[in-house]
Amino acid sequence: MNRETGLSRLADEAFDVVVIGGGATGLGAAVDAASRGYRTALIEAGDFASATSSRSTKLVHGGVRYLQQGNVGLVREALRERSTLRRNAPHLVRDLAFVVPAYSRVDLAFYALGLSAYDLLAGHTEFPRSRVVSPSDARALIPNLAPNGLCGGVVYHDGQFDDARLALALARTAVDQGAAVANYVRATGFAYDAGGRVVGVGAIDAESGAGFTIRARAVINATGIFADVVRALDDPAAPPLLAHSRGSHIVASSTALGSAAALLVPKTSDGRVLFALPWHEHTIVGTTDVPVEGPARDPEPSEAEIAYLLATVNRYLATPLARSDILAVFAGLRPLIRRGAMSTARLSREHLVEVSRSGIVTITGGKWTTYRKMAQDAVDVAARRAGLAASPSRTASLPLHGATLAAVHDESLSEYGTDAGSVERLVAEDASLAARLDARLPYTGAQVVYAVRNEMARTVEDVLARRMRALFLDAGAARAAAPRVAALMEAELGRPVTLLGPPR
Ligand SMILES: Cc1cc2nc3c(=O)[nH]c(=O)nc-3n(C[C@H](O)[C@H](O)[C@H](O)COP(=O)(O)OP(=O)(O)OC[C@H]3O[C@@H](n4cnc5c(N)ncnc54)[C@H](O)[C@@H]3O)c2cc1C
């Protein structure tokens, strides 16, 4: 995947479909359109998945919370997509066991009933079914679970993934399927024909400052929390579709749970659920739901959210987490479909496809888990409106870049799937690349070089936050690794690199 090639194609070729936004939804739309045989382009203003799509709770799930809310249709669809994604990206999606602890017999029966409904909705699936376990079995699964008054628990299964790496796999799949793709290219406006129909997207390459027009018969706006901002470039009077809410997470060492299983806190003080999850040898605790005014590029957790997360999870831990145990924090904004003045905790995660008078198709809302279905719906509408030759979606059975069921020789590279050998070959050529970037992190110099050569990494943050997940796991260790990452990137790119991207 090469940025220069992508850029020159964007400026020179005429496309059937151009997608704005390189998060889960936009990248999914590019894969869908390109694999149908449409000439496809995608631009992303920052780095791939740099907005909401790298800041999720990392679950490929139906959503037990939505089941609690009675949203059976959404849960069934998401469970179907859970299986599809695990099948198409087995190197990035894994099965995770969750323990729901119960401190009364009534609660235990209630959770068991709810989760058997979840099993039923999942239908025939490779994820194991839920089961009731004794207090000692629950503590064998999560050694740090608070024992006092524990009546038992229910164990159920869902998928877990690496969101930013899945986004990269999608970008590379789109390129494999023939799409022209570039990060750090922002859509700044639209081109129209004499009848007012959209025929292109005005774009700026943030690195060079060069502006150009991408010609296309169909335009898909998949800019997530920024969807209304991009709609306003087409129609400043368009009424907003979205409300926004912040979800925050804290990250601690793996000893917080001391297990390979996750903990689901079934009832929080604000009527939600909370997860504590093992992820990349650490523990993620999240999330919150705080309504915010509008979209923001780098949302941060408030002190109140951090205190709430600690207090809520500590009610369930034998050895509580202290503020000083937190190694990193991260927050994302949810693009929620606006419906009157309901509280954002109640709004549905369902998606929406809207077509503007000029023909721009906006796809927003939804979840990471349902990105493929969202993308399919958006491309269906865009192709029909633009009069493209009918071609059915192929993504339900399209393996994503790197997909393999085979065990990878070096287990720490398993998320690279079939590309793991290419990372290992870099070490064979230059043994110094085998050294870890920091003793606290599992990442090596070879992964930095690979990210620049093959994954369009342009800044130190691209590498530390999304090609590897250092910034999400241990901010101090990531900061310590930054100079070495910068030196390796500068040698590859032949120019100075910045920590963050160019001004956007
Ligand atoms: C806290 C939290 C936890 C979540 N947890 C889960 C979970 O566990 N499982 C799950 O299934 N879902 C989860 N979700 C939902 C999921 O993360 C989102 O639904 C999904 O990432 C949205 O993807 P997107 O592509 O629509 O938006 P985004 O990821 O925001 O992508 C939009 C992209 O458009 C780009 N862009 C904006 N303007 C322009 C422009 N002018 N030109 C070019 N590009 C532009 C942005 O830079 C951005 O990268 C969670 C969400 C949050 C907030």
Side-chain angles (χ1 to χ4, degrees):
M1 189 165 72
N2 179 284
R3 187 166 184 273
E4 282 67 37
T5 311
L7 265 183
S8 66
R9 288 188 56 197
L10 288 172
D12 294 344
E13 295 180 18
F15 295 95
D16 293 317
V17 180
V18 58
V19 181
I20 309 170
T25 313
L27 292 165
V31 169
D32 188 284
S35 58
R36 292 185 200 217
Y38 298 141
R39 294 166 302 166
T40 302
L42 178 138
I43 55 171
E44 160 55 49
D47 186 28
F48 304 116
S50 54
T52 304
S53 294
S54 59
R55 299 155 184 268
S56 80
T57 309
K58 330 293 180 206
L59 297 177
V60 179
H61 63 160
V64 286
R65 173 157 159 251
Y66 311 129
L67 190 62
Q68 255 178 18
Q69 294 170 346
N71 201 339
V72 171
L74 174 63
V75 176
R76 190 185 283 120
E77 176 174 276
L79 286 170
R80 200 179 308 126
E81 290 301 318
R82 176 184 77 163
S83 291
T84 303
L85 188 51
R86 180 139 187 250
R87 215 172 35 244
N88 292 338
H91 57 315
L92 287 164
V93 180
R94 69 182 191 113
D95 168 37
L96 180 62
F98 292 72
V99 177
V100 190
Y103 291 85
S104 81
R105 294 257 148 231
V106 176
D107 280 352
L108 187 62
F110 180 70
Y111 303 150
L113 199 71
L115 287 159
S116 50
Y118 198 63
D119 292 338
L120 217 65
L121 284 174
H124 179 69
T125 157
E126 60 283 16
F127 287 91
R129 300 180 85 77
S130 62
R131 65 185 204 279
V132 173
V133 294
S134 67
S136 59
D137 284 349
R139 293 204 69 229
L141 283 163
I142 302 185
N144 195 25
L145 186 61
N148 293 349
L150 188 67
C151 285
V154 182
V155 177
Y156 77 98
H157 292 253
D158 247 327
Q160 185 182 45
F161 75 132
D162 185 320
D163 46 11
R165 289 223 52 98
L166 183 61
L168 279 174
L170 286 170
R172 297 192 68 177
T173 309
V175 171
D176 295 345
Q177 295 291 326
V181 171
N183 55 2
Y184 294 106
V185 177
R186 166 181 289 280
T188 51
F190 297 99
Y192 303 93
D193 66 12
R197 262 204 73 82
V198 69
V199 290
V201 174
I204 287 189
D205 168 11
E207 288 193 354
S208 68
F212 55 95
T213 300
I214 305 165
R215 290 169 292 151
R217 294 171 67 188
V219 175
I220 296 178
N221 167 19
T223 52
I225 50 171
F226 304 98
D228 287 329
V229 178
V230 172
R231 287 170 67 244
L233 297 174
D234 174 55
D235 175 7
L241 296 174
L242 294 178
H244 303 90
S245 107
R246 187 174 60 235
S248 294
H249 305 82
I250 55 177
V251 182
S253 82
S254 60
T255 54
L257 291 172
S259 67
L263 166 70
L264 176 121
V265 172
K267 263 186 273 178
T268 62
S269 55
D270 60 348
R272 314 178 69 254
V273 301
L274 190 87
F275 294 100
L277 311 152
W279 192 65
H280 290 324
E281 313 296 321
H282 287 72
T283 304
I284 297 181
V285 179
T287 177
T288 57
D289 194 338
V290 180
V292 294
E293 266 306 305
R297 206 147 253 293
D298 286 309
E300 283 181 15
S302 67
E303 276 303 321
E305 285 171 280
I306 294 173
Y308 159 88
L309 290 170
L310 279 175
T312 307
V313 76
N314 280 344
R315 295 211 321 264
Y316 293 82
L317 299 183
T319 306
L321 275 177
R323 182 72 173 78
S324 56
D325 293 325
I326 298 177
L327 300 172
V329 297
F330 64 94
L333 299 186
R334 301 179 181 88
L336 301 174
I337 308 300
R338 215 177 245 268
R339 258 181 225 144
M342 291 153 82
S343 107
T344 52
R346 289 272 143 68
L347 292 184
S348 134
R349 264 62 178 167
E350 276 164 291
H351 63 274
L352 171 145
V353 181
E354 184 226 40
V355 187
S356 76
R357 225 170 314 151
S358 63
I360 296 166
V361 174
T362 293
I363 169 89
T364 189
K367 310 182 346 150
W368 236 120
T369 307
T370 53
Y371 84 91
R372 192 205 63 79
K373 180 67 170 56
M374 294 170 69
Q376 177 179 333
D377 291 351
V379 175
D380 277 347
V381 172
R384 215 171 29 245
R385 297 291 292 221
L388 304 182
S391 175
S393 174
R394 293 174 170 79
T395 53
S397 57
L398 181 74
L400 300 188
H401 185 93
T404 176
L405 284 169
V408 167
H409 170 244
D410 175 351
E411 214 188 300
S412 72
L413 298 177
S414 62
E415 290 187 341
Y416 291 80
T418 54
D419 288 331
S422 306
V423 182
E424 288 178 308
R425 270 193 295 283
L426 291 172
V427 175
E429 287 161 18
D430 177 354
S432 74
L433 293 177
R436 289 210 179 186
L437 299 173
D438 184 275
R440 293 163 284 180
L441 297 170
Y443 308 115
T444 65
Q447 288 168 276
V448 180
V449 171
Y450 185 82
V452 175
R453 289 190 191 166
N454 304 288
E455 298 178 333
M456 243 187 247
R458 311 296 294 177
T459 72
V460 173
E461 196 210 273
D462 295 349
V463 169
L464 285 172
R466 290 171 293 276
R467 305 305 179 279
M468 50 187 71
R469 308 311 302 273
L471 256 175
F472 286 77
L473 297 174
D474 189 330
R479 259 194 302 278
R484 166 106 173 110
V485 172
L488 287 164
M489 292 185 78
E490 285 176 1
E492 279 300 308
L493 291 166
R495 62 160 170 85
V497 292
T498 53
L499 183 61
L500 300 171
R504 298 190 290 253

